[in-house]
Structures are given as C-alpha cells and as structure tokens.
Amino acid sequence: MGPYLLGLRLSGRRVLVVGGGRVAQRRVPALLEAGAVVTVVSPSVTPALDDLIEAGRITWEARRYEVGDCDGAWLVQACTSNAAANTAVAAEAESKRIWCVRADDKDATAAWTPATGRVDEISVAVTAGGDPRRAAGIRDAVVDALRDGTVDARRNRTKPVGVALVGGGPGDPGLITVRGRQLLAQADVVVADRLAPRALLDELAPDVELVDAAKVPYGRSLSQDKINELLIDRAKQGKFVVRLKGGDPFVFGRGGEEMLACAREGIPVLVVPGITSSVAVPAAAGVPVTHRGVSQEFHVISVHVAPDDPASTVDWPALARSKGTLVLMMAVERLPKIVESLLRDGRSPETPVMVVQDGTLPTQRAVSASLSTVADRVSAAGIRPPAIVIVGDVVRVGQEVEMVRAERVP
C-alpha cells in the first residue's frame, strides 16, 4: 500500500539520528532546516557533521546506540551501516509509537524519507516506492518546472502584485535568471523590449497581454513616457506586470526611470537583476573584460550620442588614456567618430578591437581589427546593431585562446 504523505513541522522538536556516516550527513541538514533539535548517536561522525557539532547546531553522543535513546524523540532516523543496529533502533521506536526511518531497508521501515525540494513557499516531496534515485530524479524535474514557472505558476493565490523590472540577459533565453523566468510565468501583462529574449514570449499563456515596447534605432519606438503610463495603468487595474528588458534593468535600461514613475504612484516594484550584455557578450565571444597582467579595469559606455555631441557626458580623453578595457554599447553607428576621438587623445592605432553582433544568439558573429581599421572592417562586414564593441588588449587573450584550441585539433 502507498504511504500517507504528511509534512512534519519539526521546529523545536527532538529528532534522533543513529549513525554518523554519509546517510546521516545528507539527512541532518534538512532536519536542521526544518528547525528540529537533532541528536546524533554514533561512535564517529563525518567531517561535515563534525562542523555542525563544533558550531553547536547538533548534539553528539559519541557512542553506540543504547535502548532508551528514543525517549523524547518525535522522529528517529536509523542510518547506521549495521542492519542489526537499525533493526534494534526501529523496534524501540515502534514500541514507543515513534515514527522511524530505516535507511537500509525500504520494506522494513515504518516511514520513508522523500526526496525533497523547495521553491519559495512550495515544498515538494517524492517517495517513488522507496527508490531514492528515482525519487530524486522526479523531484528535480518538478522543482525545475516550478522554478521556471512552467508548472501552474499563474494559479498561485499569493501571486506578486505591482510591477517587476526583469533583466532578461544578453539574448539567449537560457541566460535569464531563475527568478526572472518565474515571474514571467506569473505575469498578467508583459511589456517587452526589442532586446529582451523573444523566445520566452512564445511560452506565455494565451491570455497574457503582450505589449511591444521596442525602441528600434532610427525606426519605430514606444516613448519612455508611454511605457511608464502602461506600467502604471495595468498595475492599477490589479494586474501583475513584468517589464522584460534585455541585459540588466539598471545598465542603460532606464529601469531607474520606470521605478521612480511607479514609486510616485504608490505601485510596488520588484527588481530582478539580469546578466548584462556588457560582460556576457564579450565572454560569449571568448574575450574576458579583465585579465591578470593585461587589464585590471573595464569601462562600460553608452554611445547613444557621438563623442563630439554636446549632449555627451563621457570623458573620452580620459578613456583614451586609460589602459583598461572599453566596452562600448550602441556604438556601431558612431564608430568612426569614436575611433577618431580615441586616436586623437592617445590610444594606440594598433589597439585590438572586436565587434560582436547578436551576442549569445545562434546568429552571433564577430569582426576583429585594430583601432585604426575597425570602422572600415565593420562597414565592409555589414555589422548592424545590436552589437558590442570591445577595445583593449584583452581581445588578444581571446585570440590566443582560439590559437591554442586550433593547435590542439588533430
């Protein structure tokens, strides 16, 4: 017959663990997380359990099991490698009407320890007929589905309210955070940027309102004021709104403006950081933005206006003098003027440069050149936004990695 599953609230209750080996090592942390008062009876314990003992988190009786050890326990775990000892522990527990889990015999035990997982307030427990490996596999699948929101997320009675500013990462839908994907699955309204991971939008439920907030360079766009109005309007209707952005909401994502607009209207805002493309795209192209002995600093610059534009607040002469890596965003259309400014203020014309288009996506491609030739190379290659420009000697590190790999190919 199948077990009757029950969630035990063990806070402040004594739990006896007999045995100090690897099985006990796996089970004790979960018991402590549930608030149990744990006593371990064993002649020896693993180093991990010893750390818990030293920290005063569990009590250790350094001896073999004795009749009477079960007294006062609400739950007993028989985890020794000796079947006779486990039988004796289970027999005492049974005589005193205390639930006992035997780790060595799923058929003789009075209870099974399920494979457990937790996502926010949801606890998952799987028994699988006493087969721990199968139970763990099923547990992992369910927990993953809860984390990414594919399991019944929108029926949650305590669904978030207000607006969530979610960073979608650099483009690859697999690079959004677990929390971001969770909230996306719970949304009533999604206001999505052009650079947000579009593949995730196909997973939305049919009744989710999807608002295209694209800002196409030199093309169609939705003004920031209109976006703010949409967020506020839908949230005031009692809907949970996810503002899905590319990269990170606060790295040239205007997330601060949206947060302020909502705050002025009394709308709660949850911010979920994202993987910024300023670091992720160079990494996807094999270029570290810092490297020991090469660059110990990097600068991320938005080039939505050219260096000679009065609206620019960037200290381009200081960047030209810097030995750090420059990561330039929204820079492709203004690359000739950027090169002119950097060369004029002291950057070597031989400085290596890489321009990466569609970073982290299947369509990713890159062009490498020197600072003096990069503008012509990018134009000839037809590189278009979204693209990121990396300026600095770290580009050579990526090229060296590729050379080493090529040499090792048989």
Side-chain angles (χ1 to χ4, degrees):
M1 299 178 68
Y4 181 83
L5 298 182
L6 188 68
L8 297 181
R9 303 181 68 182
L10 294 173
S11 180
R13 292 179 167 88
R14 181 173 183 264
V15 175
L16 173 68
V17 178
V18 182
R22 288 180 296 175
V23 175
Q25 179 179 310
R26 289 198 303 269
R27 296 189 178 177
V28 166
L31 293 168
L32 292 175
E33 189 175 339
V37 178
V38 177
T39 298
V40 174
V41 174
S42 178
S44 61
V45 294
T46 67
L49 289 175
D50 197 36
D51 284 344
L52 294 174
I53 294 163
E54 290 293 329
R57 298 195 63 195
I58 62 177
T59 300
W60 179 32
E61 299 287 344
R63 56 174 174 77
R64 297 185 183 280
Y65 159 77
E66 298 174 356
V67 175
D69 284 338
C70 292
D71 290 347
W74 292 72
L75 176 67
V76 175
Q77 297 267 355
C79 303
T80 78
S81 57
N82 185 312
N86 289 338
T87 300
V89 172
E92 182 189 355
E94 183 77 13
S95 69
K96 295 176 178 177
R97 297 187 177 182
I98 301 169
W99 289 105
C100 178
V101 179
R102 283 189 61 166
D104 63 332
D105 192 332
K106 70 181 183 69
D107 296 317
T109 186
W112 292 326
T113 296
T116 60
R118 187 174 178 85
V119 180
D120 296 330
E121 75 284 357
I122 302 172
S123 295
V124 175
V126 182
T127 57
D131 182 339
R133 291 187 179 181
R134 186 183 180 201
I138 296 171
R139 180 271 319 275
D140 291 344
V142 175
V143 167
D144 287 346
L146 284 168
R147 281 178 176 159
D148 66 25
T150 57
V151 172
D152 217 17
R154 299 187 69 217
R155 297 184 184 179
N156 188 345
R157 292 181 180 176
T158 58
K159 187 174 66 175
V161 296
V163 173
L165 306 180
V166 175
D172 181 341
L175 295 178
I176 189 173
T177 63
V178 170
R179 183 61 171 151
R181 193 153 188 170
Q182 270 183 336
L183 294 177
L184 189 62
Q186 293 176 293
D188 299 309
V189 181
V190 175
V191 182
D193 272 355
R194 179 177 65 96
L195 298 180
R198 311 296 291 187
L200 294 176
L201 303 180
D202 291 337
E203 300 176 3
L204 297 175
D207 62 332
V208 174
E209 180 186 0
L210 177 59
V211 179
D212 186 354
K215 290 185 174 67
V216 181
Y218 314 109
R220 296 173 56 190
S221 65
L222 194 64
S223 72
Q224 188 60 53
D225 287 343
K226 182 61 176 177
I227 292 171
N228 294 349
E229 290 173 11
L230 279 167
L231 299 178
I232 293 165
D233 175 71
R234 299 305 190 271
K236 284 186 173 180
Q237 293 179 28
K239 297 178 179 179
F240 176 51
V241 185
V242 169
R243 176 72 168 105
L244 183 63
K245 298 171 171 289
D248 182 274
F250 288 173
V251 180
F252 306 123
R254 305 186 77 164
E257 297 175 44
E258 293 165 354
M259 184 171 63
L260 282 169
C262 291
R264 292 186 183 112
E265 296 294 327
I267 294 169
V269 177
L270 173 65
V271 179
V272 180
I275 300 174
T276 173
S277 55
S278 61
V279 174
V281 169
V287 177
V289 292
T290 63
H291 190 76
R292 185 162 59 93
V294 177
S295 175
Q296 54 186 341
E297 61 179 327
F298 69 98
H299 307 265
V300 182
I301 305 102
S302 167
V303 198
H304 63 281
V305 294
D308 59 356
D309 192 301
S312 175
T313 61
V314 178
D315 189 346
W316 286 99
L319 292 176
R321 294 191 300 271
S322 169
K323 294 183 180 180
T325 305
L326 307 184
V327 181
L328 311 177
M329 307 175 74
M330 296 172 276
V332 170
E333 299 290 341
R334 287 163 283 278
L335 197 51
K337 287 188 175 293
I338 293 167
V339 169
E340 178 185 341
S341 175
L342 292 174
L343 291 176
R344 182 182 62 241
D345 290 313
R347 275 271 177 165
S348 167
E350 299 307 313
T351 302
V353 182
M354 178 181 286
V355 182
V356 185
Q357 177 181 322
D358 294 340
T360 76
L361 296 173
T363 53
Q364 174 179 310
R365 61 182 182 131
V367 170
S368 296
S370 65
L371 184 60
S372 62
T373 63
V374 67
D376 290 339
R377 290 287 304 277
V378 165
S379 178
I383 297 290
R384 301 292 300 167
I388 285 182
V389 180
I390 311 155
V391 181
D393 290 336
V394 290
V395 172
R396 291 197 181 99
V397 176
Q399 293 169 339
E400 182 182 352
V401 170
E402 290 302 314
M403 291 175 58
V404 171
R405 287 174 175 166
E407 290 171 357
R408 293 182 64 85
V409 174

